[in-house]
Amino acid sequence: MAVDRTIRLWSVATLLAALALGGCSTQIADMPGFGLPADAPERPKEAGGYLPVHDLPPDRNEEAMKPAELAKIQAELTAARDRQAAAATPPKPAKK
């Protein structure tokens, strides 16, 4: 009976120690001797800043794709779709 109590006590102590160390993991990762490599970039001074989602790239001066290239690609895709559709349909059984 005393052995069961000792095992239970050690189990609870181990669980509490694991939870306590798990809560400190972010602080341990920031320590220079433990977590960060020597060539790690500097962390930003302002933590939690939002990304610039409304900053759009400038408009292009030229077209992304010429109309002839676009028509060629569309024709290739249509042909590939037709080939796949033909291969997917089962052949009709021959009549006697």
Side-chain angles (χ1 to χ4, degrees):
M1 181 117 48
V3 174
D4 291 336
R5 192 173 194 180
T6 304
I7 291 174
R8 186 178 302 144
L9 179 65
W10 279 107
S11 298
V12 170
T14 304
L15 177 65
L16 290 176
L19 290 174
L21 289 176
C24 298
S25 64
T26 56
Q27 288 83 7
I28 292 173
D30 290 336
M31 295 177 72
F34 290 103
L36 294 176
D39 59 346
E42 291 287 328
R43 293 204 176 182
K45 299 292 180 191
E46 180 182 322
Y50 293 105
L51 295 175
V53 294
H54 296 291
D55 293 344
L56 299 175
D59 291 335
R60 294 182 180 191
N61 295 333
E62 58 190 44
E63 294 179 17
M65 190 179 294
K66 293 184 171 51
E69 292 177 17
L70 181 62
K72 178 183 173 188
I73 291 173
Q74 287 177 343
E76 290 175 359
L77 289 173
T78 304
R81 181 190 62 205
D82 294 341
R83 282 192 308 269
Q84 289 178 353
T89 57
K92 295 180 181 180
K95 293 183 180 180
K96 293 184 179 180

